[in-house]
């Protein structure tokens, strides 16, 4: 192996640590629309941290929003949120007639009523310009069955989907099995806690047979709880979803610490399976944010397949580098320790950050 290849593994693993500040549980804004023209109703749901990036609503800076703080910022919410997501119909702007804000189980629900002319509804989410690039807006309807649309990055404009609409060049329709596959893959690669856990598993090294056993155990477990939770057999409350997030972060710390201090790992496949059950609940929570109340089996299967394809790509990219680095035991020992320590620190950050969210 050339000398430059071994450090590359450490760089890849260490790169996970700065991503700790971007836990994927908070990078979504869900929008639902209903209409009886000329009236159009819109409901927007996000976590308090997201709202604070748009409007300084946390007056005392304690990280907790209160109904009183929301009420005192009503005018600022109109400017910082609703003015930043203009709605139009038939090329003409809709007139906003009322707004409201409410806290619901740790989330912020913003509502607005509009009067709109006839024509195709479009909404431009200029608010994305002030949010980190990983943020995504999911737009759907609450009054009819229709495909969902995404807005992200510079793709700010969404055509509000019609019941019979097959698709549009503006926005991204998500429906059916194949449409959900890329959503699952993208979610895995932006789910930094899942990536850190998998990287910690792979850093143990060994043979392809051993790695495949670990990955298969993890995949079987998270697929099971993802399906059971998303289909309502084992539903999670908002508090349960937050507990699952803490447990996922703790799994990252545990596996990384075991890499550092453990000598033999005969039960690593069972550990991967046990923690995989927890990761599945976290994935289900994410899937339900993408498709609130509409966990169709085809969509769920496509989302899960996308997650598994992303998992396979990670293994195929990272594990050969682990094997190459392992050919130099002295260098690999340093890489193994440094990368495991970095992953443990990232996991520790997530544990603390998510526990503080319970305050």
């Amino acid at each position: 192996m050339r000398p430059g290849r071994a450090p590359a593994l450490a760089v890849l693993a260490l790169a996970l640590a700065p991503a700790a500040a971007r836990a994927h549980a908070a990078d979504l804004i869900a929008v639902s629309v209903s209409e009886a023209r000329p009236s159009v109703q819109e409901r927007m749901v996000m976590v308090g941290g997201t709202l604070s990036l748009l409007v300084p609503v946390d007056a005392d800076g304690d990280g907790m929003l209160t109904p009183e703080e929301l009420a005192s910022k009503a005018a600022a919410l109109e400017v910082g949120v609703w003015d930043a997501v203009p709605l139009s119909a038939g090329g003409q702007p809709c007139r906003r007639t009322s707004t409201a804000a409410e806290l619901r189980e740790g989330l912020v629900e913003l509502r607005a009523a509009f009067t709109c002319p006839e024509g195709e509804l479009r909404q431009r989410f200029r608010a994305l310009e002030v949010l980190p690039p990983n943020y995504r807006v999911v737009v759907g309807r609450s009054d009819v069955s229709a495909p969902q649309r995404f807005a992200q990055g510079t793709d700010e404009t969404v055509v509000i989907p019609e019941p019979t609409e097959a698709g549009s060049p503006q926005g991204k329709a998500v429906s059916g099995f194949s449409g959900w596959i890329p959503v699952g893959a993208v979610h895995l690669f932006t789910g930094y806690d899942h990536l850190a856990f998998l990287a910690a598993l792979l850093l143990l090294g060994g043979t392809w047979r051993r790695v495949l056993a670990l990955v298969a155990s993890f995949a079987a477990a998270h697929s099971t709880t993802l399906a059971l939770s998303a289909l309502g057999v084992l539903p999670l409350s908002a508090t349960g979803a937050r507990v699952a997030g803490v447990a996922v972060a703790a799994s990252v710390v545990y596996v990384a610490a075991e890499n550092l201090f453990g000598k033999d790992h005969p039960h690593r496949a069972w550990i991967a399976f046990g923690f995989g059950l927890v990761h599945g609940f976290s994935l289900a929570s994410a899937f339900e944010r993408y498709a609130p109340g509409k966990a169709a089996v085809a969509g769920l299967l496509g989302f899960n397949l996308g997650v598994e394809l992303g998992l396979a790509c990670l293994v195929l990219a990272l594990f050969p580098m682990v094997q190459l680095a392992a050919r130099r035991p002295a260098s690999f020992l340093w890489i193994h320790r440094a990368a495991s320590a970095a992953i443990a620190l990232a996991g520790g950050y997530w544990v603390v950050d998510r526990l503080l969210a319970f305050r």
Side-chain angles (χ1 to χ4, degrees):
M1 179 180 66
R2 290 194 296 272
R5 287 192 176 180
L9 175 61
V11 171
L12 179 61
L14 287 169
L16 293 171
R22 295 179 291 167
H24 67 284
D27 61 4
L28 289 174
I29 298 174
V31 176
S32 61
V33 179
S34 61
E35 63 172 301
R37 296 292 180 95
S39 175
V40 176
Q41 307 288 327
E42 190 161 275
R43 173 176 172 267
M44 189 180 305
V45 178
M46 65 189 77
V47 299
T50 298
L51 182 60
S52 295
L53 294 175
L54 299 172
V55 178
V57 288
D58 187 9
D60 54 14
D62 65 352
M64 293 287 291
L65 295 182
T66 65
E68 292 74 22
E69 287 175 325
L70 277 182
S72 68
K73 297 292 184 178
L77 290 173
E78 292 206 13
V79 175
V81 178
W82 293 113
D83 286 357
V85 291
L87 182 68
S88 64
Q92 300 297 317
C94 295
R95 181 172 61 88
R96 192 170 64 243
T97 57
S98 67
T99 62
E102 188 174 355
L103 292 177
R104 290 183 179 274
E105 295 186 332
L107 298 173
V108 181
E109 179 180 302
L110 306 178
R111 298 185 300 276
F114 300 85
T115 299
C116 297
E118 292 299 322
E120 183 180 64
L121 282 174
R122 288 175 176 258
Q123 192 158 24
R124 183 181 177 189
F125 292 94
R126 292 200 306 258
L128 286 169
E129 297 171 6
V130 300
L131 294 173
N134 57 303
Y135 269 78
R136 175 177 291 194
V137 181
V138 184
V139 183
R141 281 185 173 270
S142 59
D143 54 347
V144 292
S145 177
Q148 291 178 320
R149 299 290 170 81
F150 289 163
Q152 186 173 24
T154 58
D155 189 5
E156 300 176 349
T157 301
V158 169
V159 175
I160 307 300
E162 295 291 342
T164 58
E165 190 174 20
S168 167
Q170 297 294 332
K172 299 177 176 64
V174 181
S175 61
F177 175 77
S178 61
W180 282 98
I181 293 175
V183 177
V186 168
H187 178 76
L188 179 72
F189 284 113
T190 56
Y192 303 105
D193 44 7
H194 301 308
L195 294 179
F197 179 81
L198 292 167
L201 286 179
L202 296 178
L203 281 169
L204 186 62
T207 64
W208 274 104
R209 182 176 181 179
R210 183 175 188 178
V211 166
L212 289 176
L214 289 175
V215 173
S217 296
F218 178 70
H222 75 236
S223 297
T224 299
T225 46
L226 166 60
L228 291 176
S229 181
L231 295 176
V233 179
L234 292 174
L236 279 186
S237 64
T239 300
R242 293 164 71 184
V243 171
V246 174
V248 167
S251 74
V252 175
V253 176
Y254 179 89
V255 176
E258 192 179 58
N259 285 351
L260 288 169
F261 304 111
K263 294 183 179 180
D264 299 318
H265 306 277
H267 307 299
R268 182 58 77 92
W270 286 107
I271 290 171
F273 183 85
F275 283 131
L277 295 173
V278 177
H279 282 251
F281 281 117
S282 178
L283 290 169
S285 178
F287 176 71
E288 289 166 5
R289 288 196 301 274
Y290 285 114
K294 299 178 181 179
V297 173
L300 176 60
L301 291 174
F303 179 82
N304 189 55
L305 178 58
V307 170
E308 306 308 342
L309 291 174
L311 173 59
C313 290
L314 177 69
V315 173
L316 292 174
L318 184 57
F319 189 62
M321 298 176 66
V322 174
Q323 289 187 310
L324 286 172
R327 294 179 184 178
R328 290 177 174 265
S331 298
F332 181 64
L333 180 62
W334 178 86
I335 293 168
H336 180 272
R337 288 177 177 174
S340 295
I343 292 172
L345 287 173
Y349 172 89
W350 286 319
V351 169
V352 173
D353 183 61
R354 294 172 188 183
L355 284 174
L356 289 176
F358 279 90
R359 294 187 306 167

